[in-house]
Amino acid sequence: MKLVWFRRDLRIKDNPALADACRTGEPVAAIYVATPEQWKSHFVSPRQADLIQRRLEVIRQELEALNIPMLFKVVDNFSDIPVLLAEICQQYQVSDVYCNRDYEYDEIDRDNAVAGTLSLTRIGFHVFDGKCILPPGSVTTGAGKPFQVFTPFKKAWLKIIQSTDYSPLKQPGQIAPTALTKSLIDEAKEIDLRYWHEDSLSWPVDDNTIIQRLRDYCSYRVTKYHQLRDIPSEPATSQLSAYLAIGAISPRQCLARLITEHRDCFSDVKEGPQTWLSEIIWREFYQHVIAINPDLCKGEAFLCWETHISWKHDEILFEKWKQGKTGVPIVDAGMRQLNETGWMHNRLRMIVASFLVKDLHIDWRWGEQYFMSKLIDGDFASNNGGWQWSASVGLDAQPYFRIFNPFTQSKKFDPEGIFIRRWVKELESVSAKHIHEPYNKGYATGSPLSYPKPIVDHSLARKEALSFFEAAKNHKSEQRA
């Protein structure tokens, strides 16, 4: 029997590990191993855990229709998995285990331990690249080195992809049932992660809805993506990120659908389809970065001089930022959206991250971990890359002297205050003229606002940030090789 180990690849279509196991013609079983204590140490959000549980129920039913039983096991940590899988392989006479590769440090360490344990009993361990369209290490400079800047990475990626078969793998066909597979299907237990207490019900988990969302987005809304993607009150983004994060849909499926609808998406014009394709490539870029730089998974910045930055560790200010009570409306609106829904608009992610790092001078790692603990679309590579970009300490990050003015950003991307009013109820009655800075220039409502005043003066905070960033950089440390 062949055993397919599902992780962050919760789909039947375009699943290389599943497809390869099914091609053998032998009986196939599947397994998912939940590791709640490990998840907590990785700040996996309860809402995402709930999404995983609901998606697993869909996967189990789809697999059963193919005569593939799915086992569900719970252990505390990754370190418990090698022995568990070895025991299951022995119990069910499994000859080979198949899975799709994860690129984070702990996950690679886990897989190496599993491979070593299984090899002791001559059980094959087969790992495939299903998380990226082009796997890490396949997009390099002319000298064979990894790219450290996005734009040349994108150019090389586009050149390779246009001579590559990017067609998604089809769903495997039905496998002839055996007495063992029938027995395992009958014995399958309910998938239970109910100790995670936040629901994800606003995110459908069935294939038809997910695929239809992709098709609807690529057929129409993507055409205006370049114009509206920075406006948080507009439904201009795909909101497929949660499904990509758990592998309910693959980036290759996204690319294939985009190309089907927009054959010119590889062109140099900067319209919606081309801009959305760039975001897909950014996701690839960050996956490649962590695979090649494992220290990034250990809390290290890409730029070594970051160790000389004098971060503040002010728990009170950090708590106000988390709760959306900073007195800066656009920041508070973004944080309240995150806390209530588990999702935040990308432009707001940049604004609130810049505010934490450049205005409050708090360590970017605090924000990175808090985001992961809340995001339904939490993905380590994208989250880490975004935070290091905002903190100006990552690979191809914004320059440290480029500091977002949250009030200017607010006026530019939410000019009428539509988004702010949706999430900051204390400002519902404030006019568009004053809503971005309600305490500036003599605003009066006839009654005092219940909304707090800004917890920091942006202009002063900006000067201080420039000073300590420059001092850190002048230590002459170089970025990692």
Side-chain angles (χ1 to χ4, degrees), residues 28-48:
V28 176
I31 188 170
Y32 185 87
V33 184
T35 52
E37 294 305 315
Q38 192 83 44
W39 288 355
K40 289 175 183 176
S41 70
H42 288 174
F43 303 96
V44 173
S45 79
R47 198 172 262 113
Q48 186 177 87

Side-chain angles (χ1 to χ4, degrees), residues 62-176:
E62 292 179 340
L63 288 171
E64 287 182 0
L66 301 176
N67 294 317
I68 300 174
M70 186 170 205
L71 306 174
F72 177 74
K73 300 292 182 180
V74 180
V75 296
D76 284 339
N77 295 293
F78 287 166
S79 58
D80 301 314
I81 293 178
V83 171
L84 171 69
L85 287 181
E87 291 175 348
I88 289 173
C89 288
Q90 182 179 16
Q91 181 179 358
Y92 298 113
Q93 298 181 334
V94 171
S95 62
D96 297 88
V97 174
Y98 297 74
C99 62
N100 292 306
R101 199 182 314 273
D102 288 323
Y103 305 123
E104 295 86 351
Y105 181 87
D106 286 344
E107 283 75 359
I108 292 173
D109 194 45
R110 170 203 64 195
D111 289 355
N112 288 338
V114 167
T117 300
L118 295 182
S119 69
L120 297 176
T121 51
R122 297 185 179 181
I123 296 171
F125 187 62
H126 311 276
V127 186
F128 302 82
D129 284 291
K131 199 171 185 178
C132 291
I133 301 170
L134 298 178
S138 65
V139 184
T140 58
T141 67
K145 295 183 178 181
F147 286 99
Q148 297 186 355
V149 179
F150 173 72
T151 299
F153 173 89
K154 175 183 174 181
K155 290 179 179 178
W157 190 96
L158 287 170
K159 184 176 181 180
I160 295 170
I161 202 68
Q162 292 180 72
S163 59
T164 302
D165 181 8
Y166 47 75
S167 303
L169 299 172
K170 295 181 180 180
Q171 176 175 312
Q174 193 177 62
I175 295 174

Side-chain angles (χ1 to χ4, degrees), residues 305 308-309 400-401 468-477:
W305 55 261
H308 301 293
I309 295 177
Y400 75 90
F401 50 80
F468 69 68
F469 267 89
E470 185 173 359
K473 194 170 184 180
N474 285 341
H475 272 271
K476 298 181 181 180
S477 297

Side-chain angles (χ1 to χ4, degrees), residues 374-425:
K374 291 293 182 180
L375 286 170
I376 195 167
D377 63 354
D379 172 85
F380 178 83
S382 295
N383 189 52
N384 179 269
W387 273 95
Q388 292 214 37
W389 183 90
S390 296
S392 303
V393 298
L395 187 147
D396 198 15
Q398 68 170 345
Y400 75 90
F401 50 80
R402 187 172 296 161
I403 298 175
F404 281 2
N405 181 320
F407 304 109
T408 301
Q409 291 280 310
S410 182
K411 294 171 184 175
K412 183 176 181 180
F413 298 116
D414 190 28
E416 299 300 316
I418 296 171
F419 185 82
I420 291 173
R421 288 191 192 87
R422 183 183 305 167
W423 293 102
V424 185
K425 299 301 183 182

Side-chain angles (χ1 to χ4, degrees), residues 168-290:
L169 299 172
K170 295 181 180 180
Q171 176 175 312
Q174 193 177 62
I175 295 174
T178 66
L180 179 57
T181 57
K182 287 180 178 179
S183 175
L184 287 175
I185 287 174
D186 291 339
E187 294 174 8
K189 296 180 180 179
E190 180 183 358
I191 296 170
D192 186 4
L193 292 175
R194 279 176 282 182
Y195 41 82
W196 299 78
H197 299 299
E198 290 186 26
D199 73 71
S200 60
L201 296 178
S202 60
W203 296 81
V205 291
D206 63 286
D207 280 338
N208 288 339
T209 301
I210 295 172
I211 295 300
Q212 193 59 50
R213 282 191 174 190
L214 172 62
R215 289 177 174 175
D216 290 346
Y217 184 75
C218 289
S219 65
Y220 174 66
R221 283 195 293 133
V222 75
T223 61
K224 296 185 178 181
Y225 180 68
H226 61 305
Q227 298 171 326
L228 302 176
R229 67 180 183 138
D230 286 320
I231 310 299
S233 61
E234 291 284 349
T237 62
S238 71
Q239 296 199 23
L240 294 169
S241 54
Y243 302 122
L244 284 166
I246 66 170
I249 195 171
S250 74
R252 189 156 52 179
Q253 286 174 290
C254 293
L255 176 64
R257 175 48 53 180
L258 181 66
I259 293 171
T260 297
E261 298 289 348
H262 304 279
R263 295 286 178 182
D264 64 342
C265 66
F266 291 135
S267 68
D268 292 332
V269 299
K270 295 182 179 180
E271 295 183 350
Q274 294 78 15
T275 305
W276 196 60
L277 176 59
S278 284
E279 295 304 310
I280 294 174
I281 303 173
W282 266 109
R283 180 184 181 278
E284 298 263 304
F285 181 59
Y286 284 142
Q287 297 290 338
H288 287 219
V289 167
I290 64 161

